[in-house]
Amino acid sequence: MDAGRNLLPTRLKGNRWLRRSGTLIGFLIVVIIFTLNNPSTFLTLPNWLNISQQVSMLAVVAFAMTIVMVMGDFDLSVGSMASLAGILAALLFRAEQPLAVGILVALGAGLIGGLINGLLVSYVGITPFVATLGTLTIFSGAAFLFSGGETIFGRDIPAEFSGFARTGLPIGTVNERPLLFPAMTILALVVLGIIWLLLEQTTYGRRLYAIGGNAEAARLAGVRVRLLRLIAFMLTGLGAATAGLMYASRVASANPTQGAGLMLDAIAAVFLGMTLSEEGEPHVLGTLLGVLILGVLDNGLTQMQVDSYVREILIGGIIIGAVTSSSLSRRNR
Amino acid sequence: MPTLTPLLSIQHTSKTYDGTPALVDAALDLMPGEVHALMGENGAGKSTLIKILAGVVRPDRAEIRIDGQPVSIHSPKEAYDRGLRFIHQELQIVPQVSVAENLALSQPYPRWLGVLVDWRKLHQQANRALERLGISHIDPRQSMARLSVGDRMLVKIASAFANSTQAASIYVLDEPTAALNAAESQRLFAVIRELKTQGCGILYVSHRMDEVFEICNTVTVMRDGRVISTQAIQQTSRGGLIRLMTGREVSHAYPPRTQPHGQQVVLEGHGLLNGVDFQVRAGEILGIAGLAGAGQSELLKAIMGALPATVGTLSLEGQPMTPAHPADGWEKGFAFVPQERREQGLVLSRSVRENISLPHLRRLSTSGVLLDVGRETRLADDLSKQVRLKATSNRQLTRQLSGGNQQKVVFARAMAGQPRLLLLDEPTRGVDVGARFDLYTLIRQASIDGTAILLASSDLGELLGLCDRILVLRRGRGATVVKAAGLTQHDLLALCYG
Ligand SMILES: Nc1ncnc2c1ncn2[C@@H]1O[C@H](COP(=O)(O)OP(=O)(O)OP(=O)(O)O)[C@@H](O)[C@H]1O
Ligand SMILES: [Mg+2]
């Protein structure tokens, strides 16, 4: 595979910097277009804080997804894990358990779900696609089963819990109302910081990238591939459960399908981020850009009152375009 | 003598990678009936020139003529259609499909009524191609993934020589014998001689002097991307060629043992691979010889803990040991150079520095967790210098290194610290003549420092020149241990067949 890539015909020539930054430049162009179209609203601090809060759940899932994608794996079950985590927490709240119990059980479910994925992929040896497709269905079924297919809301969700999505750090006032730096955004940034440290600054992250590049060579160089892969899936599961809790807090309710949209967007964000790296490897800062692109497009197109179906077509086209242009330019060796 | 038109003439050919020249105004003529050696140190630009000819790398500038006609080659297909055949240094195979399909990759498959693949005919073609090289032990229906490295190379070689609808007249072979044993190489040479009498031209890259003097008529030497001389083989000598390649005086004697090795047994094995017993002492170099596939790599992997279930017992300094994972091996102070640099050794998408430090990350970090890039960089720079690595910096991706330099990276990382046990599987494959003796000196130095060393090699000269004793493996028929002193290559080969 590597040899083949190395020996592709080299027709396209391009500036090295330009080819790595194409996605970033595209992002800036999109921002400029939206700014010109909505001069009074788009490029304002409140709008960007709003965007940051809107994408914070997707961001957490996408950052966590980056961990497994570094090894060349996927986790398709993140969305249904997020739903399941929200349902579990809400059920415990309804049973008048303390806040901490609900949250810890939900996060524990994320770890256990990740453990199952990890065992299937790295010890049983099923491909991640099939294994996590299976657990996607299982987690989703469990969420329906536990909730009886209903949405849990209202009095059942404690105010402290749903309040989290509405608080933030006051950083000023706009039109005599306090402007808050949302707690959800802060949480997403904290997750970003932790995963960045983990992937870029620790021996664990270094080994994950080695596995992604050549698992057999990594193993022979003393990397415990199976164990590290298992841990990576657990961390991704934990991230998914965190996002599920954030979602439940934001909508002050839990229903068994509310995480469903997260998985595809998270994978898309990681792919968009991968276009920034020379070797096409995922990096969590690249994923951040991917998340911002998706969030900004969503926000800007909504402000321009573009039909939501058109929006989806546009976003899909942009993902394909970005990944195509970067893989074409990578052939230039 | 009338001047002949060269079959292939290359003029003014240059290539720069990200500002670093890999090929500078190279020129070379290949005559009909000529076997033309292309030699040079690792990273001199040999493979780059060949990839340009093959249409897989785009030159900055090139003037190529075939039979006097100017041509430009943009793709492997064009090269094929113009009668060029290649064996590239790095294996290009499709492991998922059969040997027969790999042999037919560059040609249309035989078909029934132009639609359905005629498998019988395909397999017959494959058999003919293999027979031409005297290969009878490979079944064309077998999946490529199941073949050993040497056998894959044989298939690759066979595919270059397979009869095709378009006549071929130019063969370009980039280190074809690096993974072959002596007998397989001889069969390749027989085919080369036959092609030569048919008037084909052969461009031949090798780091093995013996072969070059055995089959080549002409030799061109490259250094730092430039062609610096072309001579008839009779007008040169080994020493002369090495001087031209390296620009320095290189010893080509094996570094001798200067003091006796220790007496303490470091590693002892009993009944491994169905009946292999051995002992290796501190500072001793125990060679491992045998025909291709006699179990050399399996033995080293078993000691390292890289094979799932292993028969036999091992003891380390008297204590029984059951290694379960290569991580255990590295933790105990074993260091391992696996046989295949690209499949088993390197993470090609990562840098020289990261590849060197990978097995040593725990020692190179703060409390085993936080990377210490400063220490990592010092280690990588230090080892790169010791093996004379040619790279733009320790941050260069290993994918971008020449084959021999990739091998040096895999070797370098095994020399970090002072390993207790060094397991070397073909450690100098693809390394140029000059650098090879630098590596031998490092191996000798490790042995003087008390490292016990197991050295598997198909290069008998290397085994006899470095080892104290040699373990000769015979697949399924046990093994013998002999003292290296006084043995000739001929004796050793006889023992392998014995
Ligand atoms: N894709 C690439 N990107 C950057 N540099 C490259 C790339 N491919 C080759 N080079 C550089 O070009 C130079 C020549 O490499 P080449 O592979 O032609 O050497 P070689 O003579 O075949 O050596 P060897 O004997 O080790 O096979 C080397 O310095 C190498 O690092
Ligand atoms: Mg080469």
Side-chain angles (χ1 to χ4, degrees), chain A residues 196-211:
Chain A
W196 178 81
L197 262 179
L198 184 78
L199 289 181
E200 310 290 337
Q201 302 295 326
T202 67
T203 53
Y204 178 70
R206 182 64 74 69
R207 290 180 176 127
L208 288 192
Y209 279 104
I211 295 172

Side-chain angles (χ1 to χ4, degrees), chain B residues 214-284:
Chain B
E214 185 178 341
I215 55 163
C216 298
N217 318 100
T218 315
V219 51
T220 289
V221 173
M222 294 183 66
R223 193 201 301 165
D224 295 333
R226 294 167 201 273
V227 169
I228 57 170
S229 96
T230 296
Q231 290 169 288
I233 199 83
Q234 300 87 347
Q235 291 165 1
T236 67
S237 65
R238 277 158 206 260
L241 280 178
I242 295 179
R243 252 193 314 279
L244 277 174
M245 283 191 272
T246 61
R248 62 189 168 112
E249 209 55 58
V250 174
S251 92
H252 43 122
Y254 289 92
R257 176 172 283 298
T258 50
Q259 61 193 73
H261 62 73
Q263 283 310 305
Q264 193 210 3
V265 175
V266 174
L267 186 78
E268 188 164 357
H270 281 295
L272 293 160
L273 311 176
N274 300 318
V276 177
D277 296 342
F278 69 91
Q279 278 189 343
V280 55
R281 294 166 197 272
E284 186 184 21

Side-chain angles (χ1 to χ4, degrees), chain B residues 177-471:
Chain B
T177 54
L180 301 189
N181 65 25
E184 291 164 343
S185 301
Q186 283 306 325
R187 286 202 291 270
L188 171 66
F189 299 159
V191 176
I192 291 179
R193 290 197 186 95
E194 185 191 322
L195 292 170
K196 187 172 147 180
T197 56
Q198 292 166 9
C200 297
I202 292 118
L203 187 60
Y204 188 85
V205 177
S206 177
H207 291 297
R208 297 189 174 176
M209 284 282 176
D210 296 343
E211 301 178 350
V212 169
F213 281 93
E214 185 178 341
I215 55 163
C216 298
N217 318 100
T218 315
V219 51
T220 289
V221 173
M222 294 183 66
R223 193 201 301 165
D224 295 333
R226 294 167 201 273
V227 169
I228 57 170
S229 96
T230 296
Q231 290 169 288
I233 199 83
Q234 300 87 347
Q235 291 165 1
T236 67
S237 65
R238 277 158 206 260
L241 280 178
I242 295 179
R243 252 193 314 279
L244 277 174
M245 283 191 272
T246 61
R248 62 189 168 112
E249 209 55 58
V250 174
S251 92
H252 43 122
Y254 289 92
R257 176 172 283 298
T258 50
Q259 61 193 73
H261 62 73
Q263 283 310 305
Q264 193 210 3
V265 175
V266 174
L267 186 78
E268 188 164 357
H270 281 295
L272 293 160
L273 311 176
N274 300 318
V276 177
D277 296 342
F278 69 91
Q279 278 189 343
V280 55
R281 294 166 197 272
E284 186 184 21
I285 307 182
L286 177 66
I288 304 178
L291 299 179
Q296 297 93 322
S297 300
E298 285 95 327
L299 184 62
L300 294 180
K301 280 178 147 184
I303 296 169
M304 201 61 197
L307 289 183
T310 320
V311 289
T313 56
L314 283 165
S315 60
L316 179 66
E317 285 165 8
Q319 303 299 312
M321 151 182 112
T322 41
H325 192 283
D328 298 338
W330 289 97
E331 268 157 34
K332 291 196 187 86
F334 299 1
F336 181 36
V337 173
Q339 188 186 23
E340 273 304 292
R341 56 177 174 255
R342 289 168 73 95
E343 283 77 22
Q344 304 173 332
L346 293 175
V347 182
L348 290 168
S349 55
R350 308 298 290 189
S351 66
V352 169
R353 166 164 61 82
E354 292 185 19
N355 272 282
I356 288 181
S357 67
L358 186 60
H360 314 295
L361 283 179
R362 191 207 291 270
R363 286 195 290 120
L364 295 172
S365 56
T366 319
S367 52
V369 178
L370 275 188
L371 294 170
D372 183 341
V373 177
R375 266 159 74 196
E376 195 189 5
T377 304
R378 278 193 297 280
L379 177 78
D381 285 345
D382 181 40
L383 288 169
S384 305
K385 206 181 289 159
Q386 288 187 34
V387 299
R388 285 178 193 275
L389 186 73
K390 188 180 174 200
T392 51
S393 81
N394 65 50
R395 292 194 309 281
Q396 186 167 20
L397 300 183
T398 46
R399 181 195 305 294
Q400 300 173 342
L401 299 183
S402 79
N405 283 298
Q406 290 176 342
Q407 183 67 36
K408 290 187 206 168
V409 172
V410 182
F411 185 87
R413 78 164 166 222
M415 305 306 285
Q418 193 195 327
R420 175 143 67 151
L421 177 69
L422 197 50
L423 304 170
L424 305 173
D425 199 352
E426 305 284 353
T428 60
R429 179 177 283 174
V431 174
D432 69 56
V433 225
R436 187 172 287 239
F437 285 89
D438 295 326
L439 302 195
Y440 293 152
T441 308
L442 290 171
I443 295 175
R444 175 59 75 206
Q445 187 57 47
S447 108
I448 290 170
D449 295 341
T451 300
I453 300 170
L454 288 176
L455 168 64
S457 178
S458 51
D459 184 336
L460 302 181
E462 186 171 288
L463 287 176
L464 293 171
L466 285 171
C467 299
D468 300 296
R469 293 181 302 142
I470 298 171
L471 174 70

